[in-house]
Amino acid sequence: MDNARSPNILLGVSGGIAAYKACELVRRLRDAGCVVRVVMTRAATAFVTPLTFQALSGQPVRMDLLDAEAESGMDHIALARWADRVVIAPATADLMARLAAGLADDLLTTVCLATEAPILLAPAMNRVMWEHPATRGNHARLLERGVRMVGPDTGGQACGEHGAGRMAEPASILQALLGGAPLLPLQGRRVLITAGPTREAIDPVRFIANRSSGRMGVALAEAAREAGAEVCLIHGPMALPAPAGIRNIAVETAAEMAQAVLQEIPAADVFIAAAAVADYRPRTTSAQKLKKTADTLTLELVRNPDILAQVAALEPRPFVVGFAAETENLRAHALEKMQRKHLDMIAANDVSGGRAFGTEDNALTVFWPGGERRFPEQPKALLARALLALIAERIEETRASEPMETGR
Ligand code: C5P
């Protein structure tokens, strides 16, 4: 594409209710100077007529691969070559499945196989369909292949439910398609995350643990994958299921978590320690259940390895992010912890009064050497996305200010 002209955009529309929002996208793309050609799936025509897109784009709309007359004009290969960028909005679960499988059973999927242009998807579907392991798997496969994603957003859905699956707004799609910022801020990066509590056995039936649910770490893992990263999640015993489509390693004790982390860390570009690791474990674990014979029982505890500090001491090391759960003096404690453990960033939680642990929502104040940002109370999924965007931003800035490549 020469830089002087606006890109030729091939807009694919698949069959979902969000198809009506694609009309607005065409208008905005044309306002931006783009030539837009629309290819619809058969199902899409049940939601918006081809005539609507034809009027808005000022170009003929294509649907069929085996349309001899249309193919004699600009055939599917010529269409694939013509496009500087392909955007599919909405991209339904079915369309994502067909693209992931490499099918070419209609014009849109055929053009996607035949084009060398970058492809951007704006997924839109019911939240249960979006979370289904089949869709998660297709999403991950497409990301791996370099297909980029914008959204979906979280909110009210046409089906009356609330959750992730709303198509991104046309303005966001436009920004993702034409804006300078990378669509997937962690594309190609490998992110290692710890989550949940650890369990330190006292005897075969009792253990020391804490109130961590693992929710924040799981939200971070999902957000990192959405941001294009290859994710590994190492987690202690959690009540919630490990996220589908993400490599995860289940451990129980801090020592096991440390071992798993040190094994995986050489392959990581970013390490996020979201686990609430038990600071101490019983010096000995009784092989038999302890009997209540005495009035008092003294357990001797010994320090567990500090996984985060160990990772931060490695050379070379990844970009290291810690969490600080504090009940008082949040800022002072977080800053002290960041310096003492040599972190690149620390996310501080106020856990006084039962806040943060096990809850759906949370607020964070994030510190890095020379800066801080406050994220107000919001669902952990949104918070995770915001934190990862900040991590990506900091990585870019750290890199830009480094005179040489340090291996990070
Ligand atoms: O010092 P403190 O335990 O408050 O530090 C919290 C941070 O350190 C969290 O990011 C937690 O995941 C990490 N941590 C760790 N290993 C430990 C203790 C804490 O990785 N043994």
Side-chain angles (χ1 to χ4, degrees):
M1 188 187 87
D2 78 64
N3 289 330
R5 68 170 172 84
S6 298
N8 288 336
I9 304 292
L10 191 139
L11 169 64
V13 182
S14 60
I17 182 61
Y20 79 92
K21 287 205 255 176
C23 299
E24 167 75 2
L25 181 60
V26 176
R27 200 185 55 75
R28 285 177 180 249
L29 283 166
R30 291 200 67 194
D31 286 349
C34 300
V35 180
V36 184
R37 286 178 179 266
V38 178
V39 172
M40 302 177 77
T41 63
R42 275 278 150 212
T45 63
F47 294 90
V48 179
T49 69
L51 200 58
T52 305
F53 282 114
Q54 187 171 310
L56 289 169
S57 67
Q59 302 287 338
V61 172
R62 295 278 318 261
M63 279 149 299
D64 293 319
L65 182 58
L66 307 174
D67 178 336
E69 197 185 321
E71 283 283 304
S72 69
M74 189 184 271
D75 72 27
H76 59 280
I77 299 296
L79 197 55
R81 284 200 198 114
W82 169 86
D84 295 313
R85 295 176 201 182
V86 175
V87 54
I88 304 183
T92 59
D94 174 70
L95 188 95
M96 287 175 66
R98 290 190 293 129
L99 287 181
L103 293 185
D105 56 354
D106 66 2
L107 180 63
L108 182 54
T109 48
T110 304
V111 168
C112 287
L113 268 190
T115 191
E116 289 177 328
I119 301 177
L120 172 70
L121 301 189
M125 65 199 72
N126 162 271
R127 67 174 179 91
V128 182
M129 294 171 78
W130 174 247
E131 294 300 342
H132 194 285
T135 309
R136 305 284 77 239
N138 293 332
H139 182 245
R141 269 171 93 181
L142 290 167
L143 286 176
E144 268 166 32
R145 242 186 255 154
V147 172
R148 297 178 297 173
M149 305 275 169
V150 53
D153 291 344
T154 298
Q157 301 202 295
C159 49
E161 295 187 12
H162 186 94
R166 276 172 69 92
M167 190 173 87
E169 292 303 319
S172 310
I173 301 174
L174 192 79
Q175 168 65 26
L177 192 63
L178 304 180
L183 302 186
L184 290 171
L186 292 172
Q187 183 87 49
R189 303 234 184 239
R190 296 157 303 178
V191 178
L192 180 64
I193 300 172
T194 64
T198 63
R199 260 184 203 172
E200 313 296 331
I202 298 169
D203 67 17
V205 293
R206 304 178 182 99
F207 53 80
I208 297 173
N210 58 64
R211 293 184 190 281
S212 167
S213 62
R215 202 168 267 135
M216 191 66 210
V218 168
L220 283 165
E222 287 178 331
R225 182 191 49 198
E226 272 174 35
E230 193 184 303
V231 186
C232 176
L233 178 68
I234 298 176
H235 62 87
M238 307 187 295
L240 64 163
I246 287 176
R247 194 160 78 85
N248 70 82
I249 301 172
V251 297
E252 189 157 311
T253 65
E256 286 169 12
M257 186 174 275
Q259 196 187 1
V261 167
L262 292 176
Q263 193 164 329
E264 296 293 326
I265 207 73
D269 302 305
V270 180
F271 176 62
I272 308 177
V277 184
D279 291 321
Y280 294 92
R281 66 177 184 277
R283 180 179 289 282
T284 53
T285 301
S286 168
Q288 305 302 328
K289 187 180 168 198
L290 294 177
K291 292 290 172 200
K292 48 178 176 296
T293 44
D295 281 347
T296 62
L297 172 69
T298 304
L299 283 175
E300 192 182 356
L301 303 179
V302 293
R303 280 289 283 272
N304 267 330
D306 189 318
I307 305 168
L308 181 59
Q310 282 185 8
V311 170
L314 295 172
E315 191 56 55
R317 63 177 229 181
F319 187 88
V320 181
V321 183
F323 269 76
E326 305 291 346
T327 53
E328 56 178 5
N329 298 336
L330 191 72
R331 187 190 162 82
H333 282 141
L335 288 172
E336 183 277 323
K337 204 165 285 183
M338 177 168 73
Q339 276 153 15
R340 179 166 43 85
K341 298 195 189 190
H342 303 290
L343 309 180
D344 294 302
M345 187 182 273
I346 193 154
N349 272 307
D350 176 0
V351 292
S352 60
R355 269 194 290 265
F357 274 124
T359 57
E360 293 285 347
D361 289 6
N362 197 12
L364 287 176
T365 308
V366 182
F367 301 91
W368 62 91
E372 66 180 81
R373 197 174 296 173
R374 168 141 184 91
F375 298 106
E377 180 131 359
Q378 56 193 299
K380 285 180 177 171
L382 298 183
L383 206 51
R385 275 192 210 159
L387 181 59
L388 281 159
L390 178 59
I391 290 172
E393 206 180 285
R394 291 300 312 147
I395 290 175
E396 286 307 315
E397 273 178 35
T398 313
R399 245 201 186 173
S401 62
E402 271 171 4
M404 289 187 319
E405 190 61 58
T406 60
R408 224 176 248 172

